[in-house]
Amino acid sequence: MLQGCDYREARDAMLEQVGPVGTETAALSASAGRVLAQEVIAQADIPPFDRSPYDGYAFRAQDVENASEQTPVTLRIVDYIAAGDVPHTCIRAGEAAHLMTGAPVPEGADAVLPFERTRFTEEEVTIDAPVKSGSNVIYAGEDVRKGTVLCSPGIRIDAGLAGTLAGQGIFQPLVYKKPLVGVISTGSEILEENEPPAPGHIYNSNRYSLQAACELAGCRSVYIGTAGDDRDVIAGLIGKAVQTCHAVILSGGVSVGDFDCTPEAMVQSGVRLLAHGLSLKPGMAGAYGIYDADHESGHCRGEEKGSGVIPVFGLSGNPAACMTAFYAVVLPVLRRQMGYAAGACLPPQIRVRLAKDYSRKNQSTRLLRGKVDLKAAVQEMEITGGQGNQVLSSVAGSNAFAEIPAGETVQAQEPVNAFLMGDF
Ligand code: AMP
Ligand code: MG
């Protein structure tokens, strides 16, 4: 088991164990933001036929090669092709087809002119300048060639991909199932939403932060319950969560106080701990392990490698530490379970300049939460407030973590590594 390790080691140890939780088909109309689980190979050219980008006339470029204002060329209109029509005849010397935007260019024609650049009657069109062969023709396969690999599994369905799938006639794409994340709060001082304020007690905020973060990341979440500081009760809730959930997140009781029994409860419920304690501020306290549902139940519950492995995260109760560990360690593991390709599980690294000096030296890596202005040419990061592990107000409105290596300080405007919290 890793102890006091770099957060990336704990993250990678967990990542190694898990896999996507399964696949299902979904209606394309309800698939925005889902992770695609199939390869898509273009079954047909897009566009499927040579087509016109304008309302105008299609003809043979050769017929107008000597056209000028003094010697205009008049062609006889032999066809009318609306979008959705097929040409009724092919175009021969001296002929033109009147056609609409999106209509197929008829055989024989190799150029199109928009009607504004012609003079025309119902029967004839007159052209007074040469036109190159191929002008204003959108050729079949210009956008996508048949046989091209359009996308591989493990990418999110964004607006462009949704349209691309539709273009290939895929209206029931195979997507990865959304992992269901069970959230457990521990701590005798925690009040639930239906309880009145009481001396020495605080409302449960971690539950809501964690569920919001999971849902925004594209997972489903369920609140399993609160457990006080009783090891057996915590172990019971973990046992309940692993019956239905693909991942479990606990908060509280992971330090070394008299009442901190979450890691023991994890072990008691069958979790194998991979890391205990991190070299990370905030987020030093934490226990990370896996529960092997396949192994425990003696049968295979998932189709893919790692799909029966349930990661169990015991995070600090301090709200900001809890969320720092969520983004640094938990989210990449959940993204793996969501089906994201290996390279897309980790947050993108960026370089930022801090708006103010950070002059405190830490013994561990310090993740400073703040707000990066992504519109600026050089990313500037504003620290959103106090960096104490209990300061939740500075997590709100932040979108990135700047990473201050152990033993270092950073001056304002000095470039420093950072990573984004979401939307990657
Ligand atoms: P612990 O990790 O149990 O040592 O708790 C550290 C701090 O976080 C204590 O001040 C707790 O009261 C607080 N805390 C624990 N759980 C929660 C929670 N669910 N919501 C808000 N604060 C919490
Ligand atoms: Mg506690």
Side-chain angles (χ1 to χ4, degrees), residues 86 92 127 149 180 225 260 286 305-306 336 380 387:
V86 288
R92 285 180 288 264
I127 295 163
V149 177
L180 177 64
D260 290 328
K305 178 186 170 284
R336 182 87 199 93
E380 181 146 313
Q387 296 291 319

Side-chain angles (χ1 to χ4, degrees), residues 185-187 189-190 202-207 229 251-255 260 315-319:
S185 299
T186 74
E189 73 280 29
I190 299 306
I202 53 166
Y203 277 116
N204 182 354
S205 64
N206 292 342
R207 169 204 166 173
D229 286 304
S251 74
V254 280
S255 347
D260 290 328
L315 308 184
S316 166
N318 282 304

Side-chain angles (χ1 to χ4, degrees), residues 7 41 44 151 184 187 202 209 304 370 389 423:
Y7 74 90
I41 296 176
C151 49
I184 298 171
I202 53 166
S209 293
E304 289 187 58
N389 60 9
D423 262 350

Side-chain angles (χ1 to χ4, degrees), residues 30-385:
S31 295
R34 299 293 300 268
V35 182
L36 189 70
Q38 67 179 99
E39 185 177 69
V40 178
I41 296 176
Q43 298 299 306
D45 283 345
I46 299 180
F49 47 83
D50 297 349
R51 72 179 176 200
S52 170
Y54 298 118
D55 291 347
Y57 297 91
F59 50 88
R60 295 161 22 124
Q62 207 186 323
D63 287 1
V64 299
E65 65 187 350
N66 297 317
S68 66
E69 277 181 23
Q70 291 72 37
T71 58
V73 173
T74 297
L75 305 169
R76 193 160 59 85
I77 298 170
V78 295
D79 200 0
Y80 180 95
I81 315 164
D85 261 0
V86 288
H88 309 91
T89 181
C90 76
I91 300 302
R92 285 180 288 264
E95 295 178 347
H98 185 183
L99 79 184
M100 301 292 125
T101 304
V105 174
E107 222 174 283
D110 63 346
V112 170
L113 265 190
F115 71 89
E116 312 91 289
R117 288 174 53 194
T118 67
R119 282 175 285 132
F120 54 88
T121 65
E122 290 270 302
E123 285 85 32
E124 291 178 340
V125 56
T126 299
I127 295 163
D128 56 13
V131 178
K132 281 206 192 95
S133 173
S135 288
N136 302 319
V137 178
I138 303 174
Y139 287 105
E142 205 171 286
D143 183 355
V144 175
R145 280 245 162 262
K146 180 178 175 180
T148 308
V149 177
L150 289 174
C151 49
S152 306
I155 57 171
R156 184 166 57 181
I157 301 180
D158 62 11
L161 183 52
T164 301
L165 292 169
Q168 294 298 317
I170 299 171
F171 298 104
Q172 294 284 329
L174 189 69
V175 294
Y176 286 105
K177 287 185 176 158
K178 290 183 172 192
L180 177 64
V181 184
V183 173
I184 298 171
S185 299
T186 74
S188 307
E189 73 280 29
I190 299 306
L191 287 176
E192 297 291 30
E193 61 185 39
N194 54 354
E195 295 179 294
H201 285 64
I202 53 166
Y203 277 116
N204 182 354
S205 64
N206 292 342
R207 169 204 166 173
Y208 297 93
S209 293
L210 288 169
Q211 284 196 262
C214 289
E215 306 262 340
L216 288 171
C219 295
R220 294 174 299 137
S221 74
V222 57
Y223 185 51
I224 304 293
T226 181
D229 286 304
D230 183 305
R231 193 182 67 189
D232 292 338
V233 180
I234 299 172
L237 286 182
I238 298 172
K240 183 177 162 205
V242 296
Q243 297 303 310
T244 53
C245 299
H246 301 105
V248 184
I249 308 176
L250 300 102
S251 74
V254 280
S255 347
V256 287
D258 289 349
F259 297 101
D260 290 328
C261 56
T262 299
E264 290 152 45
M266 288 166 70
V267 171
Q268 184 177 325
S269 59
V271 173
R272 180 161 64 90
L273 289 185
L274 301 182
H276 193 181
L278 303 180
S279 173
L280 173 65
K281 259 181 123 50
M284 190 160 280
Y288 300 87
I290 56 155
Y291 178 89
D292 194 336
D294 289 347
H295 185 256
E296 294 296 324
S297 63
H299 63 79
C300 197
R301 145 162 141 165
E303 311 104 78
E304 289 187 58
K305 178 186 170 284
S307 63
V309 171
I310 300 172
V312 182
F313 308 94
L315 308 184
S316 166
N318 282 304
C322 177
M323 295 320 293
T324 303
F326 177 87
Y327 290 109
V329 180
V330 180
L331 183 56
V333 178
L334 294 181
R335 284 176 69 92
R336 182 87 199 93
Q337 293 190 288
M338 291 169 71
Y340 278 104
C345 292
L346 304 185
Q349 295 284 326
I350 55 172
R351 299 273 283 172
V352 297
R353 300 180 195 278
L354 299 187
K356 289 193 185 132
D357 291 352
Y358 181 77
S359 49
R360 195 167 130 189
K361 281 188 187 161
N362 299 279
Q363 283 180 342
S364 358
T365 302
R366 155 73 69 176
L367 293 180
L368 287 177
R369 50 197 179 270
K371 187 166 173 61
V372 170
D373 180 1
L374 293 169
K375 293 191 294 300
V378 176
Q379 262 74 56
E380 181 146 313
M381 179 165 164
E382 171 207 340
I383 302 306
T384 39

